[in-house]
């Protein structure tokens, strides 16, 4: 038992920390592609400066993303040996595909992206940026596929009995396109684009308030605002269809997300609320009937099951936490829509950059997609409990048998110390890069032979 | 359980996948081997300029090289989940340390150049040096334990303390791999440098070759003396004589190639030596993946550890499509950054 809690803690912690960075890399990747495309089209050097500046920040996020990503691949084997034996046949091919198709692509072209500015023609560099973006998006494809398979398993059969049971693949494409893959992937991509767009918005707004790099920042802000508006609207649709999949395939999770204990044939949705797990009651502001309407159920006819419908050992624990994580995510999603539409409105009135208060909000807005991404992930994973593979393998049975609590504790402490140190370094260096800012037009040199050696981009 | 084996070109799928996993590990050792080796001598380069050149020699490629480890881990997980689970849970503490060291190496390379302060750069130089050396050493320890087998029970779980993994043979193998990578890394740096740094690296190379021969001899002698399994295999298999001998020959040829300034051939020689060393390991193991020192009945072989034939077939296809792609853009990136290192504004 103790090993289970520690191992879950360790995995949650290492995933959560890792999950700060890949979404940033995907989102920044998209903006870098846009900046470079605009540069190639207009030959306006400002776009190149933006691309170079954000590439430096990208380098920072990508580096930490890679370093912390390898950890999880190893953890499957170290901490979850039984799980690894059980799912290897299915899960492994997705993971292998990720490495071969996606990760090799992004990391291969990363060198060109970071160091190739003066080595290759602008269009080759642009191509490298596109490849890094596609690679990182493909990474998300395979990782989300692997995780979605755990949520809604498909395309396999179970061979063997008891401790020797394991899942074997029967249909590769049914595994890849399991019921939740597409919706969840779309959701993760949107969340990533939002994370990147809001980082650019935040940095640009910061410069505009400080009256620094004004021309560049206005351009960057507007581009990122368009991206952010588009994806925050899209995210509402994606969230809706993701929730429908949960309703269909993981009813116990749906009940946990909405804090519902009793069956209902006219279920509403809580805007705000609190789950009293002792009393099995959720109180808050509710919109009646909405859950039935959203999940295309007939009011008075169809039943949406509450938690009590499921045997005690088949429903998730910590309902209030799941409820809150989920509702904060949804709330942030709608705030982002409101925020971007408001900014668009001022842009339309031609007064966007006069609203200092709005810019101030945008400086801090960078945290919102990050929080939503994290909390969405928490509710998805906690909602799946007590299963590690939904309906098939319990988390408590998935542990390594040869590993002791002391070993896991040791590694938790180790990772905690290292990650805390890493995070402080990341913030420090990000801050330094923002303070340094993009190189302004007159300072950028366009000759083929670089003149500066030690100074320049890195400092 | 025992399904019909599928064959491709007369070789069964698990064997194909064994070759692929072995190939990817060899690719990793050859590619990241020179990054690690370059890091292992980092503190021997005293001047700031030399250190920067050495870092930028691996700058554009080290990340792509490390991907091979991710693929290798994924390939083992996918192809032989049973062996993956047993190996990784058995090596819990060493692998956790390995991960932390990998993180530190990556971060040291990335962060070192971001500040000018002397203490800052000194700190990351040391982190990079220590991490590179320890990573090679740990890899060698794993290889050594694979050679002699692990105390695993019928469920594939390690029996007893992980400290027994630090036995003398494994440690000697650790030093052997470390020396091998150091040699490999220096040759790569020779390709990328000129002038006084180049001269300095040549002296270091000669020492590394001697160090490797000593470590290799010691590890082999001790292994044959202490582990009858190794000497039995040696007597039974001709390849056991041929592969290491070829490896040693290619290493002995390296100083000659360097003297004639045939760097690329020298580099190919050391890459070949690494591949041959892993070839020995593969020959020694096949068809077993993990030897149990407790009972031969507990050995985990490629047939009992493999994924289903269906899964292996799918992954063979994935590998067949993916490998040319990876080789293609790896070649492109190496070609773009060919020749001696020139520092510019994008450098570390």
């Amino acid at each position: 038992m103790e090993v289970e809690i520690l191992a879950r803690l360790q995995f949650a912690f290492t995933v959560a920390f890792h999950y700060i960075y890949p979404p940033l890399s995907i989102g920044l990747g998209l903006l870098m592609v846009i900046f470079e495309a605009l540069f190639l089209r207009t030959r306006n050097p400002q776009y190149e400066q933006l691309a170079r500046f954000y590439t430096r920040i990208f380098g920072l996020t990508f580096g930490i993303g890679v370093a912390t990503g390898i950890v999880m691949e190893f953890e499957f084997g170290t901490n979850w040996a039984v799980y690894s034996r059980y799912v290897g046949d299915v899960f492994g091919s997705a993971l292998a595909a990720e490495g071969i198709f996606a990760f090799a692509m992004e990391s291969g072209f990363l060198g060109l992206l970071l160091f190739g500015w003066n080595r290759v023609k602008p269009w080759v560099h642009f191509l490298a940026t596109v490849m890094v973006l596609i690679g990182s998006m493909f990474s998300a494809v395979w990782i989300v596929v692997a995780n979605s398979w755990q949520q809604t398993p498909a395309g396999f059969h179970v061979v063997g009995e008891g401790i020797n049971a394991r899942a074997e693949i029967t249909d590769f494409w049914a595994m890849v396109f399991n019921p939740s893959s597409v919706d969840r992937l779309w959701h993760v991509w949107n969340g990533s684009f939002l994370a990147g767009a809001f980082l650019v918005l935040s940095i640009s707004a910061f410069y505009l308030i400080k009256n620094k790099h004004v021309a560049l920042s206005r351009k960057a802000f507007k581009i990122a605002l368009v991206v952010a508006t588009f994806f925050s609207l899209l995210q509402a649709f994606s969230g809706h269809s993701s929730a429908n999949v949960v309703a269909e395939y993981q009813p116990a999770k749906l009940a946990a997300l909405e804090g519902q204990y009793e069956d209902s044939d006219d279920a509403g949705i809580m805007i705000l609320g609190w789950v009293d797990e002792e009393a099995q009651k959720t109180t808050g502001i509710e919109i009646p009937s909405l859950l039935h309407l959203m999940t295309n159920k007939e009011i008075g006819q169809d039943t949406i099951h509450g938690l009590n419908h499921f045997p005690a050992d088949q429903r998730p624990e910590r309902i209030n936490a799941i409820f809150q994580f989920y509702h904060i995510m949804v709330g942030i999603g709608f705030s982002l829509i409101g925020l971007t539409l408001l900014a668009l409105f001022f842009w339309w009135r031609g007064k966007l950059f006069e609203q200092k208060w709005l810019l101030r909000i945008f400086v801090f807005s960078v945290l919102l997609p990050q929080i939503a991404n994290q909390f969405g992930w928490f509710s998805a994973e906690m909602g799946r409990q007590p299963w590690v593979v939904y309906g098939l393998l319990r988390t408590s049975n998935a542990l390594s048998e040869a590993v002791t609590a002391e070993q896991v504790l040791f590694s938790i402490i180790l990772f905690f110390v290292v990650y805390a140190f890493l995070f402080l370094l990341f913030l420090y260096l990000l801050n330094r890069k923002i303070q340094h800012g993009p190189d302004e037009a007159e300072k950028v040199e366009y000759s083929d032979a670089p003149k500066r050696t030690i100074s320049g981009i890195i400092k | 359980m025992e399904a019909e084996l599928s064959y491709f070109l007369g070789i069964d799928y698990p064997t194909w996948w064994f070759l692929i996993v072995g190939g990817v590990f060899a690719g990793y050792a050859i590619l990241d081997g020179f990054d690690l080796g370059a890091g292992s001598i980092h503190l021997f380069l005293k001047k700031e300029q030399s250190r920067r050149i050495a870092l930028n020699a691996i700058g554009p490629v080290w990340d792509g090289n490390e991907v091979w480890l991710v693929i290798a881990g994924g390939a083992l997980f996918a192809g032989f989940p049973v062996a993956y689970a047993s190996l990784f849970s058995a090596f819990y503490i060493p692998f956790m340390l390995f991960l932390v060291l990998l993180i530190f190496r990556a971060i040291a390379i990335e962060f070192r150049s971001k500040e000018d302060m002397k203490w800052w750069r000194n700190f990351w130089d040391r982190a990079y040096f220590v991490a590179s050396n320890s990573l090679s050493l740990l890899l060698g320890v794993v290889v050594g334990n694979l050679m002699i087998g692990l105390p695993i029970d019928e469920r594939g779980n390690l029996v007893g303390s992980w400290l027994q993994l630090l036995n003398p043979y494994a440690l000697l193998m650790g030093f052997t791999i470390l020396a091998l990578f150091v040699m490999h890394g220096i040759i790569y740096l020779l390709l990328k440098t000129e002038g006084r740094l180049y001269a300095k690296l040549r002296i270091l190379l000669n020492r590394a070759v001697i160090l490797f021969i000593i470590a290799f001899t010691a590890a082999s002698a001790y292994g044959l003396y202490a582990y009858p399994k190794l000497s039995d295999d040696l007597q039974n298999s001709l390849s056991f004589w041929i592969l290491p001998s070829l490896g040693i020959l290619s290493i002995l040829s390296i100083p000659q190639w360097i003297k004639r300034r045939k760097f690329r051939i020298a580099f190919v020689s050391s890459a070949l030596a690494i591949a041959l060393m892993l070839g020995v390991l593969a020959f020694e193991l096949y068809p077993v993946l993990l030897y149990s020192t407790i009972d031969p009945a507990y050995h985990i072989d490629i047939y009992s550890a493999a994924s289903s034939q269906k899964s292996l077939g799918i992954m063979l296809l994935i590998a067949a499509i993916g490998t040319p792609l990876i080789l293609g853009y790896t070649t492109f990136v190496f070609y773009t950054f060919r020749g001696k290192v020139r520092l510019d504004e994008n450098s570390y």
Side-chain angles (χ1 to χ4, degrees):
Chain A
M1 187 60 188
E2 207 188 346
V3 180
E4 182 192 347
I5 288 176
L6 289 171
R8 280 176 63 177
L9 251 177
Q10 183 193 17
F11 202 76
F13 174 66
T14 49
V15 172
F17 187 77
H18 173 66
Y19 198 48
I20 298 172
Y21 303 96
L24 276 179
S25 300
I26 294 176
L28 281 177
L30 177 69
L31 281 145
M32 281 147 49
V33 165
I34 295 174
F35 291 144
E36 277 196 66
L38 286 168
F39 170 66
L40 286 180
R41 229 185 130 68
T42 64
R43 293 280 157 184
N44 180 348
Q46 284 183 323
Y47 290 120
E48 198 197 7
Q49 289 153 32
L50 283 173
R52 284 185 183 235
F53 174 62
Y54 283 103
T55 302
R56 280 182 253 156
I57 292 177
F58 178 89
L60 206 58
T61 63
F62 194 93
I64 303 185
V66 173
T68 54
I70 300 178
V71 172
M72 266 108 49
E73 190 193 30
F74 276 50
E75 274 174 340
F76 292 129
T78 51
N79 288 359
W80 306 96
V82 175
Y83 164 83
S84 299
R85 292 188 191 109
Y86 187 90
V87 302
D89 200 85
V90 182
F91 198 80
S93 53
L95 220 60
E98 194 260 350
I100 289 174
F101 290 134
F103 196 41
M105 192 167 163
E106 49 184 329
S107 298
F109 283 99
L110 182 75
L112 272 176
L113 178 64
L114 296 180
F115 300 94
W117 290 104
N118 305 322
R119 282 258 173 173
V120 293
K121 294 195 174 70
W123 69 268
V124 177
H125 192 274
F126 173 67
L127 213 64
T129 314
V130 172
M131 294 299 262
V132 170
L133 172 65
I134 295 177
S136 60
M137 287 175 68
F138 268 140
S139 261
V141 171
W142 294 107
I143 297 304
V144 171
V145 161
N147 183 269
S148 295
W149 184 82
Q150 288 176 265
Q151 307 277 351
T152 54
F156 72 101
H157 62 170
V158 176
V159 198
E161 295 279 322
I163 197 74
N164 292 318
R166 56 194 210 126
E168 273 191 6
I169 203 160
T170 53
D171 182 345
F172 179 72
W173 293 112
M175 181 278 286
V176 171
F177 292 103
N178 66 69
S180 62
S181 286
V182 176
D183 284 302
R184 298 177 83 241
L185 174 64
W186 186 25
H187 205 57
V188 164
W189 274 353
N190 285 346
S192 305
F193 294 139
L194 288 172
F198 274 91
L199 181 65
V200 175
L201 284 169
S202 166
I203 294 174
S204 306
F206 174 75
Y207 287 146
L208 288 169
I209 289 171
K210 294 263 166 192
N211 234 346
K212 279 160 63 180
H213 319 292
V214 173
L216 279 181
S217 300
R218 287 187 170 197
K219 279 202 155 60
F221 192 94
K222 285 178 176 173
I223 293 167
L225 181 60
V226 173
V227 173
T229 314
F230 179 73
F231 286 108
S232 57
L233 286 169
L234 202 61
Q235 190 68 316
F237 290 100
S238 144
H240 170 61
S241 77
S242 269
N244 273 346
V245 174
V246 173
E248 173 119 20
Y249 293 93
Q250 296 175 293
K253 189 203 255 188
L254 182 78
L257 293 176
E258 290 297 342
Q260 267 201 18
Y261 280 92
E262 301 305 327
D263 291 357
S264 166
D265 47 13
D266 184 13
I269 281 180
M270 290 277 175
I271 302 291
L272 278 174
W274 190 261
V275 184
D276 184 344
E277 291 175 59
E278 294 270 299
Q280 301 204 340
K281 211 172 129 40
T282 306
T283 40
I285 310 164
E286 186 177 357
I287 305 179
S289 307
L290 192 58
L291 189 59
H292 257 76
L293 292 175
M294 299 270 286
T295 50
N296 304 319
K297 297 267 196 314
E298 197 101 5
I299 294 170
Q301 296 270 327
D302 302 323
T303 308
I304 292 181
H305 291 301
L307 286 160
N308 289 337
H309 172 79
F310 305 95
D313 66 341
Q314 289 184 24
R315 49 175 120 128
E317 293 169 3
R318 302 177 188 85
I319 306 296
N320 193 36
I322 298 173
F323 178 94
Q324 301 302 347
F325 285 141
Y326 177 70
H327 281 77
I328 292 171
M329 175 193 76
V330 175
I332 288 177
F334 283 104
S335 323
L336 295 181
I337 293 176
L339 191 59
T340 50
L341 290 181
L342 191 65
L344 275 188
F345 171 75
F346 284 114
W347 186 0
W348 173 60
R349 298 289 300 272
K351 291 179 177 167
L352 175 60
F353 298 119
E354 292 163 25
Q355 317 299 324
K356 292 280 185 244
W357 60 272
L358 187 63
L359 292 177
R360 256 180 222 113
I361 296 179
F362 269 105
V363 172
F364 292 102
S365 69
V366 62
L367 295 174
L368 294 177
Q370 287 289 349
I371 296 170
N373 285 342
Q374 294 283 339
F375 283 10
W377 192 253
F378 291 171
S379 59
E381 297 294 271
M382 289 173 72
R384 191 190 58 211
Q385 298 303 326
W387 306 101
V388 65
V389 182
Y390 201 73
L392 288 173
L393 181 66
R394 286 177 180 279
T395 310
S396 53
N397 294 335
L399 292 161
S400 298
E401 293 165 335
V403 173
T404 62
E406 288 77 31
Q407 289 178 323
V408 186
L409 189 64
F410 166 77
S411 61
I412 291 183
I413 296 170
L414 192 65
F415 280 115
F416 186 79
V417 172
V418 172
Y419 282 8
F421 177 61
L422 255 184
F423 190 62
L424 290 177
L425 270 173
F426 171 72
L427 291 182
Y428 171 75
L429 289 170
L430 183 66
N431 180 47
R432 292 276 306 198
K433 289 202 182 303
I434 294 170
Q435 298 293 345
H436 178 270
D439 296 313
E440 296 281 358
E442 62 276 14
K443 292 184 205 152
V444 172
E445 293 172 34
Y446 286 96
S447 60
D448 276 338
K451 286 178 188 143
R452 286 176 296 170
T453 50
I454 297 180
S455 64
I457 206 132
I458 290 303
K459 273 174 47 184
Chain B
M1 183 71 204
E2 289 309 312
E4 288 265 314
L5 284 176
S6 302
Y7 289 85
F8 177 66
L9 297 177
I11 298 174
D12 62 63
Y13 277 11
T15 302
W16 271 112
W17 202 250
F18 179 80
L19 292 171
I20 289 175
V21 172
V24 178
F25 270 109
Y28 172 71
I30 289 168
L31 289 172
D32 214 23
F34 72 71
D35 296 346
L36 289 168
S40 293
I41 58 150
H42 192 66
L43 288 187
F44 293 110
L45 310 175
K46 297 289 180 212
K47 291 202 192 78
E48 165 70 8
Q49 182 78 354
S50 307
R51 289 182 179 179
R52 287 195 67 214
I53 289 173
L55 275 172
N56 284 288
I58 63 162
V61 293
W62 74 268
D63 215 41
N65 294 343
E66 207 169 279
V67 169
W68 288 71
L69 178 67
V70 178
I71 298 179
L76 187 66
F77 187 5
F80 305 111
V82 175
Y84 165 85
S86 297
L87 181 69
F88 277 54
S89 58
F91 280 91
Y92 191 88
I93 296 287
F95 278 166
M96 288 296 160
L97 291 175
F98 188 82
L99 287 172
V100 168
L101 290 164
L102 266 187
I103 292 175
F104 261 94
R105 184 181 67 132
I107 299 306
I109 298 173
E110 286 295 330
F111 287 2
R112 175 189 189 279
S113 59
K114 310 261 146 129
E115 292 286 350
D116 250 349
M117 289 90 78
K118 205 161 173 129
W119 63 267
W120 174 274
R121 298 204 160 182
N122 276 337
F123 173 79
W124 290 116
D125 281 339
R126 291 201 163 76
Y128 177 54
F129 177 81
V130 171
S132 301
N133 278 296
S134 324
L135 283 167
S136 305
L137 207 62
L138 272 175
L139 280 173
V141 166
V142 175
V143 168
N145 279 300
L146 288 178
M147 296 281 284
I148 56 179
L150 300 170
I152 46 176
D153 64 14
E154 73 275 19
R155 302 276 304 276
N157 293 326
L158 184 77
V159 178
S161 161
W162 61 274
L163 281 168
Q164 62 202 323
L165 302 173
L166 299 176
N167 55 70
Y169 178 70
L171 288 173
L172 282 170
M173 278 308 284
F175 284 110
T176 308
I177 297 290
L178 173 61
L180 186 64
F181 284 173
V182 166
M183 206 168 56
H184 192 51
I186 296 175
I187 296 163
Y188 179 77
L189 289 178
L190 282 168
L191 269 163
K192 310 298 272 183
T193 52
E194 40 203 355
R196 290 178 62 181
L197 177 55
Y198 169 86
K200 163 126 198 179
L201 286 166
R202 280 199 56 173
I203 300 169
L204 286 176
L205 177 67
N206 289 334
R207 290 184 194 160
V209 171
I210 296 168
L211 210 64
F212 170 77
I213 306 261
I214 293 172
F216 179 79
T217 314
S220 311
Y222 179 79
L224 292 174
Y225 158 76
Y227 297 95
K229 167 178 172 290
L230 291 179
S231 52
D232 287 352
D233 288 344
L234 194 59
Q235 280 153 9
N236 293 336
S237 165
L238 184 65
S239 58
F240 245 156
W241 287 106
I242 295 173
L243 292 182
S245 313
L246 283 176
I248 295 285
L249 271 180
S250 53
I251 281 163
L252 289 175
S253 75
I254 289 168
Q256 305 306 314
W257 296 123
I258 299 283
K259 207 173 277 172
R260 289 183 220 162
R261 299 191 143 251
K262 306 245 185 226
F263 299 114
R264 290 205 189 140
I265 303 181
F267 187 71
V268 171
S269 291
S270 70
L272 197 67
I274 293 175
L276 288 167
M277 293 289 149
L278 277 165
V280 174
L281 176 68
F283 260 105
E284 144 90 19
L285 289 178
Y286 183 85
V288 176
L289 285 166
L290 290 180
Y291 275 98
S292 170
T293 50
I294 298 174
D295 187 336
Y298 304 159
H299 290 346
I300 297 176
D301 69 27
I302 61 167
Y303 300 103
S304 61
S307 288
S308 62
Q309 299 297 307
K310 168 112 186 160
S311 186
L312 290 176
I314 292 165
M315 291 188 296
L316 282 173
L317 198 64
I318 291 175
I321 300 168
T323 310
L325 289 175
I326 296 179
L327 293 178
Y329 39 70
T330 305
T331 311
F332 179 62
V333 172
F334 273 85
Y335 178 76
T336 305
F337 293 98
R338 69 196 177 279
K340 306 292 181 188
V341 172
R342 285 180 294 139
L343 297 178
D344 70 14
E345 56 178 11
N346 299 316
S347 303
Y348 282 130

